[in-house]
Amino acid sequence: MPYLYRLFALNDLRLAADWKAVALARHPHAGHALRQLLDAWLDLWQATRPLLAAGRARLVAQCAQQAARFEHRFRQLPAGRRRTALWSAFGVAGLLCAALLAVAMRAAADDKAAAAPKPALSVNVTHPKSLPLGLTLQANGNVAAWQEAVIGTEANGLRLTEVRVNVGDRVRRGEVLAAFAAETVNADLAQSRAAVAEAEAALAEAAANAQRARTLQTTGALSAQQISQYLSTERAAHARLDAQRAAARVQQLRLAQAQVLAPDDGVISARSATVGAVLPAGQELFRMIRKGRLEWRAEVPAAELARISPGMAAQVDVAPGGASAAPIAGRVRMVAPTVDAQTRNGLVYVDLPAGSAARAGMFARGEFMLGNGNGLTLPQSAVLLREGFAYVLRVGPDSKVMQTKVGIGRRTGDRIEITSGLDAAAQVVASGAGFLADGDTVRVLTGGLVPSLSPVVPPAAMSSSVASSVPPASRSRGARSRVAAAAAPPPLLLALSWHADAPQ
């Protein structure tokens, strides 16, 4: 039977089972009680075998040593006392297996505590907070001029000699923008004026003849035909004078058209005029934004048009994704009466204030202020933008972070609305999320529901000889407990040793 101790200590379960049969054959007087004890012993040893194989070689060696000493003492006993010693050994062996199981379980607990993951970062956590936020309707659209004036030439065949403005210049109504060569127009005007003077002289002569004819009409000195001829000549002279005066006015208009004037106050948005060009009538020279007014033409789905009305406030972001331009406050001027048949979107015209960062042709995102409501918000430092999506790092009960995709909405101060993907009870890393990855372990600093990751080390009685051999400064708390467990032999193993060494 002492060989059974050694086989169990050496963790050879197959040989232990074979020796069980041998022991039953050598001690048939033990009967059913011995069978039950051996079966229980084998079952207990088989349960503790994986734990002992995981790292208790020293303990197994001590068990084998004590078993060898017991065997030696057992052989020296008289034949009459061997039966009593055998039953005592069975009891001590059972207690020994229980001790081995307890030590192995404590070793497994120590290994588990030593294998606990080290926190990657100490973080603060926060919860989504419900705050009153304005209800908005988001839309996209382009910035365009409120009205754009096309300025062209009215004179035909004149040479452009001067351009006084350029793109971006602000002009006033009636200001000269460009000038044409006016020499030919001045000559034509002078000729027209001379023709007017000639017509006036002819009219004066015809008027004098007509007056004399009227005077002699009663005397019969002139015939009725002559009198009628003088009167007709007078009327014809009046008509020729009016025609010459009209021609002179045309030349005066041509002379005025030699200068291109601004039709209204505004900003020059385009220029095609080139000095020296001889242009036909109607050729475009400039484009101008009237009054410098811009508008945002938002494309809104047809189902949402009824929620927007003239006078409603709007916030327009002319630099979506950038941080240089602040949102522009605008106001709805008009909602288009028709909807595009292809896109099913309607246009909403939003007036933008003068002097804003908006420029005609920009793409802009914006939102219409529809009212007020509550929404879940988080600090903006808790939201990560990765690959075009928004994420937060949730802290689980095991202090591991989980990357969660969320939807974001309105911003108020340093907080941002969470529209989807998160509930109010979630714990989220408040700051420093950019230094963590999905699955990292963290240490929570602000308390809350997440437990600390400090490993719990079971108390252990440390042998003075082992404790003195390892400097305290070079050992962690878990290491000290494992050294003590390995150094101190189990009390039941000492009891087995005492039983073997006891005087018979």
Side-chain angles (χ1 to χ4, degrees):
M1 184 58 63
Y3 288 103
L4 194 60
Y5 287 109
R6 177 180 297 178
L7 295 175
F8 285 160
L10 293 176
N11 203 20
D12 194 335
L13 190 62
R14 183 181 58 81
L15 293 179
D18 294 341
W19 189 256
K20 169 189 171 183
V22 174
L24 291 176
R26 289 185 179 181
H27 301 277
H29 54 275
H32 183 65
L34 180 58
R35 289 178 184 275
Q36 290 183 341
L37 181 58
L38 290 176
D39 291 340
W41 197 1
L42 284 173
D43 292 341
L44 183 60
W45 188 267
Q46 188 173 6
T48 60
R49 185 184 176 208
L51 298 176
L52 291 173
R56 289 302 164 203
R58 183 174 180 177
L59 185 62
V60 171
Q62 290 181 359
C63 183
Q65 181 181 3
Q66 296 299 332
R69 294 177 61 187
F70 180 82
E71 178 186 1
H72 178 70
R73 294 294 184 184
F74 182 79
R75 289 181 176 180
Q76 295 179 356
L77 290 176
R81 299 187 58 184
R82 288 185 179 183
R83 182 175 183 178
T84 304
L86 179 61
W87 284 107
S88 300
F90 281 140
V92 173
L95 296 177
L96 173 61
C97 290
L100 291 175
L101 179 61
V103 171
M105 293 177 65
R106 184 176 66 181
D110 291 344
D111 293 339
K112 184 177 180 181
K118 183 178 180 181
L121 193 67
S122 298
V123 299
N124 295 324
V125 296
T126 185
H127 296 271
K129 183 185 296 184
S130 179
L131 292 178
L133 299 172
L135 297 178
T136 60
L137 174 63
Q138 296 185 351
N140 299 329
N142 297 321
V143 178
W146 166 61
Q147 288 183 1
E148 190 173 40
V150 178
I151 305 172
T153 176
E154 297 178 273
N156 184 29
L158 297 181
R159 178 174 53 88
L160 187 62
T161 59
E162 184 181 10
V163 178
R164 299 186 180 182
V165 295
N166 211 333
V167 175
D169 291 345
R170 290 188 173 272
V171 297
R172 307 282 299 186
R173 184 185 185 93
E175 183 178 342
V176 177
L177 307 180
F180 290 91
E183 290 82 359
T184 57
V185 179
N186 285 328
D188 292 339
L189 179 59
Q191 183 179 2
S192 298
R193 287 175 178 173
V196 169
E198 181 181 0
E200 289 176 348
L203 176 59
E205 181 182 1
N209 292 333
Q211 182 62 30
R212 284 193 295 268
R214 290 188 190 95
T215 304
L216 298 174
Q217 184 178 6
T218 57
T219 62
L222 295 173
S223 63
Q225 182 180 1
Q226 290 177 330
I227 294 174
S228 176
Q229 185 178 358
Y230 287 133
L231 295 177
S232 297
T233 302
E234 180 185 21
R235 287 193 297 271
H238 275 289
R240 284 192 296 272
L241 177 60
D242 293 338
Q244 294 300 327
R245 287 176 177 174
R249 285 195 297 270
V250 170
Q251 297 303 324
Q252 288 177 348
L253 289 176
R254 288 188 61 202
L255 181 61
Q257 291 169 358
Q259 291 184 330
V260 180
L261 306 180
D264 199 356
D265 297 344
V267 179
I268 300 298
S269 59
R271 165 193 161 179
S272 57
T274 304
V275 174
V278 178
L279 303 175
Q283 178 70 35
E284 179 182 322
L285 299 177
F286 305 97
R287 285 180 179 265
M288 182 183 70
I289 301 174
R290 293 189 60 192
K291 307 294 183 182
R293 289 175 56 182
L294 296 176
E295 63 184 11
W296 177 46
R297 298 176 181 175
E299 297 183 5
V300 179
E304 303 291 346
L305 285 177
R307 305 173 63 185
I308 303 175
S309 59
M312 183 177 291
Q315 293 286 334
V316 182
D317 186 4
V318 296
S324 59
I328 302 172
R331 195 160 295 275
V332 177
R333 185 181 82 253
M334 181 182 65
V335 178
T338 60
V339 175
D340 187 273
Q342 300 296 327
T343 63
R344 305 300 180 188
N345 291 334
L347 291 180
V348 178
Y349 299 89
V350 179
D351 286 334
L352 302 179
S356 66
R359 297 291 183 269
M362 278 185 170
F363 172 79
R365 291 192 178 100
E367 52 188 17
F368 298 95
M369 305 304 175
L370 303 179
N372 293 322
N374 292 333
L376 291 179
T377 64
L378 282 176
Q380 296 190 28
S381 59
V383 180
L384 299 176
L385 295 178
R386 293 176 177 173
E387 300 177 356
F389 298 99
Y391 298 91
V392 298
L393 293 181
R394 300 179 59 184
V395 183
D398 56 353
S399 294
K400 290 187 177 181
V401 297
M402 297 169 288
Q403 181 172 283
T404 304
K405 183 179 178 180
V406 297
I408 57 176
R410 297 159 286 180
R411 301 174 186 263
T412 172
D414 62 343
R415 303 188 70 85
I416 185 170
E417 181 187 16
I418 304 300
T419 59
S420 62
L422 203 64
D423 55 14
Q427 291 194 112
V428 179
V429 175
S431 60
F435 299 98
L436 297 171
D438 189 19
D440 284 350
T441 301
V442 296
R443 178 181 291 109
V444 179
L445 299 179
T446 58
L449 301 178
V450 179
S452 174
L453 284 177
S454 299
V456 179
V457 180
M462 199 169 184
S463 173
S464 59
S465 60
V466 177
S468 60
S469 63
V470 183
S474 64
R475 298 192 304 267
S476 64
R477 186 178 179 184
R480 291 197 301 269
S481 63
R482 291 193 295 273
V483 168
L492 292 178
L493 190 59
L494 294 178
L496 178 62
S497 174
W498 173 85
H499 180 82
D501 296 337
Q504 307 297 328

